[in-house]
Amino acid sequence: MARSVTPSQLRNMIRQAQQKQRQAIDKINRELRAHSQRVNQAVRNYNQQVTAYNARVRANRDRLARELARLSRPTASSRQVTLRVSFNAVHRAYECLERAADAGQLDQKYSEILDLSEREAANSAGLVNAFEGDAEQTSGAAPDEPASPVTPFLEIISSELADRWRGALYSLSPRNPDAARHFCTSAREIIARILQTKAPDDAVAAATPDCDRTPQGTPTRRAKVRYLLRVRGLDQADLEAFVESDISNVVDLFEVFNTGTHGTAGAIKLTQLQALRKRVEDGIAFLSHLVQ
């Protein structure tokens, strides 16, 4: 049986219902505003990332063009010839990779690696130019600056490897007559350790029993590169060739600066040491993107 109410009670019930309705509407409006703010922030963040990415791409492309333009002079010393030969291999591999990208053979998942590959090619050219006396002017940090963006990555692999890198940076002091030789020796060992840790011989051989092998029967470095790219879902022939040539370009620096008598590195200029550090540091960073 319906309960009778007084006019006063009815008005009170209506006010309560209206208040609940207003509260519900206010809640919906707050949620809509919050959602709109999240969407707008996401759009702004995305646009900022796109802008930053495009700026990096343009910067890498412009720098590569500038470095290539500087490489028009003839070489003189055997060191310069060796550096050029190694750079030429990197550049040829990069051109093949770029053609594959232009032909639509590489989808969106390759974007970051393509960006970093262009930076690697520019760094390789920049190193040649630096040692031929035409380094691009930079206000970069001292070559033995201890802070490094790749140290956290190396710490993940092992603290010993990170300490090795810190020691390599310390050795890159302009006051050290053997700076380049010591630095490149450590760089070669660090890269070898990264590859062995992230692409162990047993894992590579198990994944690809017919992989290329060294005379000692272990998988070659290129086989390890192919393994790493497959793990990342980036197994593309031109990228594989570029990564292999890029690693070779960094590792070969050991031979470049280990020939001759000790102390020949004493004549190396500050800009050359900076270019050497950038080449190796970014090379390790490039490798880190492939193995993480």
Side-chain angles (χ1 to χ4, degrees):
M1 179 177 177
R3 181 172 65 91
S4 62
V5 296
T6 65
S8 176
Q9 290 174 326
L10 178 60
R11 287 193 296 271
N12 186 50
M13 292 170 63
I14 292 174
R15 283 195 299 270
Q16 289 178 349
Q18 290 174 336
Q19 184 179 17
K20 289 181 179 179
Q21 184 182 47
R22 285 195 297 270
Q23 290 173 344
I25 292 173
D26 289 344
K27 181 180 179 182
I28 292 173
N29 287 336
R30 285 196 302 272
E31 291 175 348
L32 287 173
R33 284 194 297 271
H35 175 72
S36 178
Q37 289 173 352
R38 288 193 297 270
V39 170
N40 290 337
Q41 185 61 50
V43 171
R44 285 194 295 271
N45 290 342
Y46 175 78
N47 288 337
Q48 289 172 355
Q49 291 172 1
V50 170
T51 300
Y53 173 78
N54 289 337
R56 286 198 309 273
V57 170
R58 286 193 298 271
N60 288 335
R61 188 154 298 173
D62 290 347
R63 179 167 171 249
L64 178 57
R66 291 195 305 272
E67 297 291 4
L68 290 175
R70 288 188 173 93
L71 286 173
S72 58
R73 77 194 70 74
T75 57
S77 69
S78 59
R79 174 183 291 169
Q80 292 170 356
V81 171
T82 304
L83 287 172
R84 279 218 181 196
V85 169
S86 184
F87 159 73
N88 287 337
V90 173
H91 188 56
R92 284 193 300 271
Y94 175 72
E95 287 182 322
C96 291
L97 182 61
E98 190 175 39
R99 283 195 295 270
D102 291 341
Q105 298 175 20
L106 305 176
D107 58 27
Q108 190 64 31
K109 67 183 178 182
Y110 290 91
S111 295
E112 184 179 20
I113 293 300
L114 287 172
D115 178 22
L116 294 173
S117 298
E118 192 162 39
R119 185 181 72 179
E120 288 296 281
N123 285 344
S124 181
L127 184 63
V128 175
N129 282 321
F131 279 88
E132 292 185 359
D134 193 15
E136 188 170 61
Q137 293 301 313
T138 176
S139 57
D144 56 346
E145 163 62 44
S148 171
V150 303
T151 303
F153 161 70
L154 297 175
E155 284 279 10
I156 294 173
I157 297 178
S158 78
S159 58
E160 183 273 331
L161 200 60
D163 288 341
R164 180 84 182 184
W165 175 242
R166 293 187 185 98
L169 295 177
Y170 181 79
S171 73
L172 207 55
S173 167
R175 297 180 297 277
N176 179 7
D178 271 340
R181 186 176 64 85
H182 290 160
F183 180 70
C184 292
T185 299
S186 295
R188 184 180 70 162
E189 294 173 358
I190 287 170
I191 288 176
R193 178 76 173 275
I194 293 172
L195 290 173
Q196 183 55 33
T197 301
K198 296 297 185 177
D201 291 342
D202 292 345
V204 176
T208 313
D210 60 344
C211 67
D212 297 334
R213 296 177 182 268
T214 66
Q216 292 73 36
T218 58
T220 62
R221 185 175 65 208
R222 180 141 188 175
K224 290 176 178 287
V225 168
R226 185 178 300 122
Y227 169 83
L228 290 171
L229 292 176
R230 285 179 178 174
V231 169
R232 283 288 309 276
L234 300 173
D235 49 335
Q236 199 274 345
D238 294 306
L239 178 58
E240 177 189 316
F242 177 79
V243 174
E244 168 62 17
S245 66
D246 189 66
I247 294 175
S248 292
N249 182 247
V250 176
V251 171
D252 288 349
L253 293 174
F254 168 79
E255 299 296 338
V256 172
F257 294 101
N258 202 46
T259 55
T261 58
H262 293 183
T264 55
I268 293 179
K269 301 175 182 178
L270 177 65
T271 53
Q272 293 171 334
L273 291 176
Q274 288 175 321
L276 181 60
R277 170 173 175 163
K278 183 170 181 58
R279 179 69 194 98
V280 173
E281 189 169 50
D282 283 354
I284 294 174
F286 178 67
L287 184 56
S288 76
H289 279 79
L290 298 176
V291 303
Q292 291 191 63

